[in-house]
Amino acid sequence: MATFDLNLLRPLLALLEERNVTRAAERLHLSQPATSAALGRLRRHYDDDLLVRAGRTMQLTPFARDLLPAVSRAVRELEPVIDRKESFDPTQTERRFVIGATDYMTAILAGPLLRTFSEMAPRASVDFVPQPERDGTLSPYSRLDVIVGPVGFNIPGDSQVLFTDDFVLIADPGNAALSAPEPSIARLSELPHAIAYLNDPDHDNMQDVLRKAGIDHIVGARLFGLASLPLLVSGTEMVALVPRMLAAKASRTLHLAIFELPEGITIPMRECVYWHPRDEDDAAIVWLREALMRTVPTLSREPSGPLPKRLRMTP
């Protein structure tokens, strides 16, 4: 301990996990030269290269592979001690909060949350980054403060419900196949659908949503995430099922027709904020969770333009 600078512990973990100096620097919010200098100091301390080039990528040395689990445990144990503050003043903090979120949550939440920040923590900032791959551990919280996402996707950590959204159908207003006062849900089987997958490209989560709504469908296009579906549908013959809040937001800038699912068919999607259990009482993370909860009532579920029509089950 006497010969090791504890300030190098986080850079060490970032370098071993990212296996890339540039990505480690971005994760640490440090410059690339500073991160390279940290790597040099770590190599001298351990008398090992730690990272070695293999073609166009970097790989861990055998020593570094053996070292990684112990470094990960050390960071988890020390962070509550190093980061613990007696108080947190949102009006004075210049902290950059990092939130892992789906594209849908970023689309509807980023702007309203930034307005909350401007009122409550004007010197703070927030980064929205893609949700990390889930490996069944709490490791994503080494680089994230919280994760915002849906229930049912094995997101680790403690959680609190933010809100529950539901799905509506969107189409271009000029889609003649849906011009009837109450279009039939059976009519949708004749139209191409824009489909989003939310997790595994080999298993379309939205296929399950369509089946629950009783919709047979032709796949017109597939893409990752929900946020781009309104752009894909606008000006085409395709239709798509999207969360209501996303449809409402998109309708302010795109010409969209929005349809309610038939009576008795509701497909809820519950959105939560997740955090590492060690941060349960961390004042900054508690404040961030409260800021998210404060923002939720400002999110709109109402589209601009005509009220949604309701689809009917019968032909």
Side-chain angles (χ1 to χ4, degrees):
M1 291 290 289
T3 63
F4 188 85
D5 182 352
L6 288 178
N7 290 319
L8 293 174
L9 196 55
R10 280 177 172 152
L12 175 59
L13 180 61
L15 287 161
L16 296 185
E17 288 187 338
E18 300 294 343
R19 304 183 187 186
N20 181 282
V21 173
T22 301
R23 289 198 301 269
E26 292 173 352
R27 169 172 160 179
L28 295 164
H29 306 297
L30 294 174
S31 67
Q32 188 166 334
T35 307
S36 295
L39 176 58
R41 293 178 62 191
L42 289 163
R43 282 169 166 167
R44 289 191 294 274
H45 174 81
Y46 288 111
D47 193 21
D48 186 89
D49 285 338
L50 300 178
L51 291 172
V52 293
R53 184 163 296 282
R56 301 179 65 181
T57 63
M58 301 290 283
Q59 292 185 355
L60 300 182
T61 65
F63 174 81
R65 286 197 299 271
D66 291 341
L67 184 64
L68 177 55
V71 175
S72 181
R73 287 194 300 271
V75 171
R76 285 199 304 271
E77 294 297 327
L78 286 173
E79 275 188 337
V81 177
I82 296 170
D83 292 341
R84 184 67 63 190
K85 305 290 193 301
E86 290 186 2
S87 62
F88 173 76
D89 184 352
T91 65
Q92 298 301 315
T93 185
E94 297 182 359
R95 177 165 173 165
R96 178 187 295 173
F97 291 95
V98 183
I99 298 175
T102 60
D103 65 335
Y104 151 63
M105 285 303 300
T106 300
I108 67 168
L109 189 60
L113 183 61
L114 287 172
R115 288 192 285 274
T116 300
F117 267 57
S118 68
E119 297 170 3
M120 301 176 63
R123 301 168 68 179
S125 61
V126 58
D127 286 353
F128 280 86
V129 301
Q131 283 193 7
E133 292 185 8
R134 292 175 286 279
D135 59 5
T137 73
L138 293 164
S139 60
Y141 296 103
S142 64
R143 68 193 77 177
L144 304 175
D145 292 308
V146 298
I147 298 173
V148 178
V151 171
F153 286 80
N154 298 317
I155 300 174
D158 292 342
S159 65
Q160 179 180 9
V161 175
L162 288 175
F163 63 86
T164 299
D165 206 349
D166 64 329
F167 282 84
V168 294
L169 185 93
I170 59 172
D172 187 88
N175 195 323
L178 297 172
S179 60
E182 286 188 322
S184 166
I185 202 167
R187 189 78 173 87
L188 300 180
S189 63
E190 303 171 8
L191 300 175
H193 286 250
I195 303 291
Y197 59 89
L198 307 180
N199 190 18
D200 181 355
D202 294 325
H203 175 72
D204 290 331
N205 310 89
M206 292 304 297
Q207 305 277 15
D208 297 335
V209 173
L210 287 163
R211 278 192 289 271
K212 288 179 183 177
I215 300 173
D216 292 325
H217 58 280
I218 302 167
V219 177
R222 295 174 68 247
L223 71 161
F224 179 80
L226 292 161
S228 297
L229 286 176
L231 289 168
L232 201 59
V233 164
S234 180
T236 74
E237 294 183 352
M238 287 191 291
V239 297
L241 278 180
V242 301
R244 183 182 300 272
M245 287 187 181
L246 179 61
K249 183 176 180 65
S251 70
R252 299 188 191 104
T253 54
L254 298 171
H255 294 296
L256 293 173
I258 300 176
F259 300 87
E260 302 276 4
L261 295 180
E263 288 284 356
I265 297 179
T266 302
I267 304 169
M269 185 164 69
R270 185 176 298 171
E271 298 287 339
C272 295
V273 55
Y274 300 82
W275 63 91
H276 196 296
R278 66 158 184 257
D279 294 329
E280 176 66 31
D281 298 317
D282 182 278
I285 303 302
V286 170
W287 178 86
L288 178 59
R289 294 182 341 234
E290 291 173 349
L292 286 163
M293 295 300 299
R294 182 187 179 105
T295 301
V296 165
T298 70
L299 304 179
S300 175
R301 292 171 55 86
E302 300 301 324
S304 64
L307 292 175
K309 298 180 181 180
R310 184 171 294 278
L311 299 166
R312 57 186 172 85
M313 288 296 297
T314 54

